[in-house]
Amino acid sequence: MNTNTIDASLLAKMFLAGAKNLEAKKEWINELNVFPVPDGDTGTNMTLTIMAAAREVVAMENPTMELLAKAVSSGSLRGARGNSGVILSQLLRGFTKVIREEKEITPAILASSFQKAVETAYKAVMKPKEGTILTVARGGADRAIELLEQNPDIALSQMIDEVIERAEEVLNQTPEMLPVLKEAGVVDSGGQGLLQVLKGARDAFYGKEVDYETIQPSGGAVLSGDAGGSAEADIKFGYCTEFIIMLEHEYTEETELGFKAYLESIGDSIVVVSDDGIVKVHVHTNDPGLAIQRALTYGSLTRMKIDNMREEHQEKVIREAEKQKAAKAEAASETPKELKETGFISVSIGDGFGDIFRDLGVDYLIEGGQTMNPSTEDMLTAIEKVNAKNIFILPNNKNIILAANQAKALTEDKNIIVIPTKTVPQGITAVINYVPDKTPEENAAVMEEEIARVKTGQITYAVRDTHIDDKTIHAGDIMGVGDRSILAVGKEIDPVAEETTGLMVDEESELISIYYGEDMKEEEAEALRGRLEELYPDCDVELNFGGQPIYYYIISVE
């Protein structure tokens, strides 16, 4: 590359190439999440964040540096999802603060932009933690300043290469900074996401051609990779097939490797877990019979379950369309509500939880939570819909709190109070403890005090092998995920749920609340409730339908 400056046109290409490279690596980045839960979403959140800005950029013709900076900053801020996405949006915001007044970017301006990006992002996080995306960003920014001090006439190509090299070095050191990363054997996922953005941008700087056509302009159709009505065509294997093999013949490690290889030849999303004479199998395939026939050569089968994913997807699309149509009709017929003193916005994760929040008087529900973190834009839309002077936001997930705070910072005409609820049961407790006669500040203080008393355990399955919290976990294992760590690991749902609850209950506990998910039957949940009542006679045990995906049970103890 001969140029030693970057104009608006080249910067736009570099930004879009960075976005595309991140999108291409998002699933790999998702797998770097420390907890092996099915909703590991750093790569997804960062991709959706940067793609919100990319849509703004591709819609521009002949962009100036000022307009480009505004599109990148505004698009990413409003589209930010999850903690990693919010931090990425703040890095981009800081970067664009410097370049917006420039015609071209020189090495000196680039170094200054990197420094401002890091400064802005660190300020946005209340308690910055080293060993994260922030550390990786700072490592690259500090290297840019070092290079400039060593050689004021440094070539842009050298600066870009060495900044990325330093960022990668810092990323590889993150397991030494955060013990939880070292134990899990991964680098920081957010830092890896940032590195992929930088590497993609470098490719464009050096003239590599990148296909931008899948990025729809702002206001356009579905983004590449987003869930939409066309997603049915992307379901390569249509049947989710699960069963347990009761072993009757020799089944060695070599046999299992051969079985897995066979399943890979006919499908994907494969989980094969063997333990004490049984083998649990999960595979997505177009011919369940082939998987079953091979399995029968090892023993008899039980607990067989085959679901048509294309049919389920189509039903979901229809339900969503009907829900959106009903919502639009309701909005069209709604008369403007009188301005009230206080309103509530809550993030929810299932039909049952939604009903609970509505019954408690929550004005606006944002669907998402564990499986799809809502964006800052989603929060701003909710704030606009709630006609109240003071609005409490309940994120109900630690990964959504930053987005809620970012929405608060972007709102000028209403008093927004973000209660830092990290789980849905904490959100329910917060609403229950609201007292109309108290001021917003008094209510916030009481709510924060009460949610601190709520312990939550979430029962789900592992998506990969790992070692964390002194526990060896295999793909397909059932886990009880607590507020700060994995509490229990096992092969069956109910024993893990009971063990998880036992580790949360203490002498002061009075209430155990069970919320069963969409994959559990009411009679199964009732049986669990009965056992917990026997185990903890001094506690009231409540059972509610949560309807949440992915998590079989969400259990809280107060």
Side-chain angles (χ1 to χ4, degrees):
M1 189 72 191
N2 296 322
T3 183
N4 213 38
T5 60
I6 298 171
D7 62 14
S9 177
L10 178 56
L11 184 62
K13 290 179 181 178
M14 291 173 68
F15 176 74
L16 294 174
K20 287 295 295 180
N21 195 48
L22 175 60
E23 183 186 42
K25 306 289 177 54
K26 68 179 179 182
E27 293 303 332
W28 172 55
I29 294 167
N30 283 342
E31 292 174 3
L32 294 176
N33 282 276
V34 171
F35 283 1
V37 292
D39 59 356
D41 51 9
T42 299
T44 300
N45 282 336
M46 293 183 75
T47 297
L48 291 172
T49 298
I50 203 167
M51 282 297 182
R55 286 202 300 268
E56 302 286 337
V57 173
V58 296
M60 301 172 66
E61 294 182 14
N62 303 317
T64 63
M65 198 70 80
E66 182 180 4
L67 291 175
L68 179 60
K70 183 178 179 181
V72 170
S73 178
S74 176
S76 61
L77 281 174
R78 299 179 77 88
R81 295 175 187 266
N83 292 342
S84 54
V86 171
I87 293 172
L88 176 61
S89 74
Q90 291 293 331
L91 288 168
L92 293 170
R93 177 173 174 242
F95 184 89
T96 58
K97 282 181 180 178
V98 174
I99 66 165
R100 68 174 64 240
E101 304 298 329
E102 306 294 337
K103 297 292 184 185
E104 293 181 319
I105 297 174
T106 63
I109 292 170
L110 186 62
S112 178
S113 300
F114 284 153
Q115 285 292 317
K116 192 65 175 178
V118 171
E119 176 190 324
T120 304
Y122 265 89
K123 283 181 179 178
V125 180
M126 189 172 294
K127 295 180 181 178
K129 186 182 291 186
E130 297 306 330
T132 66
I133 181 176
L134 292 170
T135 316
V136 175
R138 190 177 65 195
D142 288 349
R143 182 58 179 155
I145 295 297
E146 288 173 13
L147 291 166
L148 196 65
E149 290 173 348
Q150 293 167 7
N151 179 12
D153 297 321
I154 188 172
L156 258 178
S157 56
Q158 182 186 348
M159 175 175 280
I160 291 170
D161 286 343
E162 294 205 30
V163 162
I164 291 176
E165 183 180 336
R166 175 64 62 83
E168 190 157 18
E169 288 173 0
V170 174
L171 175 66
N172 291 332
Q173 293 167 7
T174 55
E176 302 302 322
M177 303 177 204
L178 281 177
V180 69
L181 294 176
K182 189 170 187 177
E183 187 181 9
V186 295
V187 297
D188 178 67
S189 54
Q192 184 67 266
L194 176 62
L195 184 65
Q196 298 312 312
V197 173
L198 294 174
K199 286 185 173 182
R202 178 176 61 182
D203 286 344
F205 178 77
Y206 280 117
K208 181 179 178 180
E209 290 297 322
V210 178
D211 178 16
Y212 306 127
E213 290 184 5
T214 54
I215 305 175
Q216 296 292 333
S218 180
V222 180
L223 245 70
S224 171
D226 277 1
S230 63
E232 182 181 347
D234 297 329
I235 299 176
K236 185 177 179 181
F237 298 103
Y239 296 95
C240 176
T241 307
E242 298 178 65
F243 51 81
I244 291 176
I245 308 172
M246 309 298 291
L247 291 175
E248 297 169 355
H249 306 289
E250 185 180 18
Y251 186 85
T252 63
E253 186 176 336
E254 186 177 345
T255 306
E256 181 164 303
L257 289 174
F259 184 37
K260 285 182 178 178
Y262 177 75
L263 293 177
E264 286 171 356
S265 73
I266 63 168
D268 64 8
S269 298
I270 293 155
V271 177
V272 177
V273 182
S274 55
D275 180 65
D276 196 25
I278 67 170
V279 181
K280 297 175 70 173
V281 179
H282 172 280
V283 59
H284 292 174
T285 178
N286 285 328
D287 194 339
L290 293 176
I292 290 168
Q293 286 173 24
R294 177 59 68 93
L296 284 169
T297 64
Y298 308 126
S300 58
L301 307 187
T302 184
R303 299 196 186 181
M304 300 176 67
K305 181 169 176 277
I306 300 174
D307 293 321
N308 185 326
M309 294 190 294
R310 292 189 179 97
E311 184 178 279
E312 288 180 351
H313 172 77
Q314 189 61 34
E315 289 175 356
K316 184 176 180 181
V317 169
I318 292 170
R319 286 198 303 271
E320 287 299 315
E322 290 175 346
K323 188 186 293 185
Q324 290 178 17
K325 184 178 179 181
K328 288 179 180 178
E330 183 180 347
S333 63
E334 225 176 41
T335 55
K337 294 179 180 177
E338 184 180 344
L339 179 69
K340 60 181 184 176
E341 194 66 28
T342 303
F344 278 90
I345 295 168
S346 177
V347 176
S348 188
I349 56 173
D351 292 342
F353 276 120
D355 291 340
I356 292 169
F357 279 120
R358 277 187 284 268
D359 289 344
L360 290 172
V362 170
D363 300 272
Y364 193 98
L365 293 177
I366 302 175
E367 292 294 333
Q370 299 295 107
T371 53
M372 177 59 76
N373 296 158
S375 66
T376 299
E377 181 71 43
D378 293 330
M379 297 283 181
L380 291 170
T381 298
I383 290 169
E384 184 182 344
K385 296 284 186 182
V386 178
N387 195 21
K389 296 177 184 176
N390 305 290
I391 300 175
F392 288 92
I393 297 181
L394 308 172
N396 299 336
N397 184 323
K398 66 182 180 181
N399 207 31
I400 301 174
I401 295 172
L402 276 182
N405 283 326
Q406 190 150 283
K408 173 182 177 178
L410 293 171
T411 302
E412 298 178 354
D413 59 339
K414 296 175 182 178
N415 179 33
I416 308 300
I417 307 103
V418 178
I419 305 299
T421 51
K422 296 178 180 179
T423 65
V424 180
Q426 283 191 347
I428 291 170
T429 295
V431 182
I432 289 173
N433 282 278
Y434 170 72
V435 178
D437 293 339
K438 292 183 177 180
T439 66
E441 293 73 22
E442 290 171 335
N443 269 304
V446 170
M447 289 178 188
E448 292 195 28
E449 183 179 339
E450 291 301 321
I451 66 174
R453 305 180 198 276
V454 180
K455 302 172 190 175
T456 307
Q458 305 183 82
I459 314 302
T460 187
Y461 59 92
V463 294
R464 68 174 188 274
D465 294 352
T466 190
H467 185 86
I468 186 172
D469 295 329
D470 294 325
K471 294 177 176 63
T472 298
I473 300 168
H474 299 288
D477 282 354
I478 304 300
M479 303 182 298
V481 183
D483 292 317
R484 295 180 179 84
S485 63
I486 294 177
L487 299 177
V489 178
K491 301 298 181 184
E492 301 294 336
I493 296 171
D494 282 10
V496 171
E498 290 178 32
E499 184 180 350
T500 300
T501 306
L503 291 169
M504 294 191 292
V505 171
D506 57 30
E507 293 179 356
E508 297 180 359
S509 301
E510 298 176 349
L511 174 65
I512 300 172
S513 299
I514 305 168
Y515 303 91
Y516 63 97
E518 64 180 9
D519 293 327
M520 301 305 296
K521 296 177 181 177
E522 185 175 0
E523 52 267 32
E524 294 172 324
E526 284 285 4
L528 175 62
R529 175 189 186 179
R531 288 192 295 275
L532 294 183
E533 284 178 331
E534 291 177 7
L535 290 168
Y536 309 105
D538 294 333
C539 292
D540 291 329
V541 183
E542 292 184 350
L543 179 65
N544 297 280
F545 173 62
Q548 68 274 6
I550 292 178
Y551 290 84
Y552 304 114
Y553 292 110
I554 294 178
I555 302 170
S556 66
V557 176
E558 301 177 54

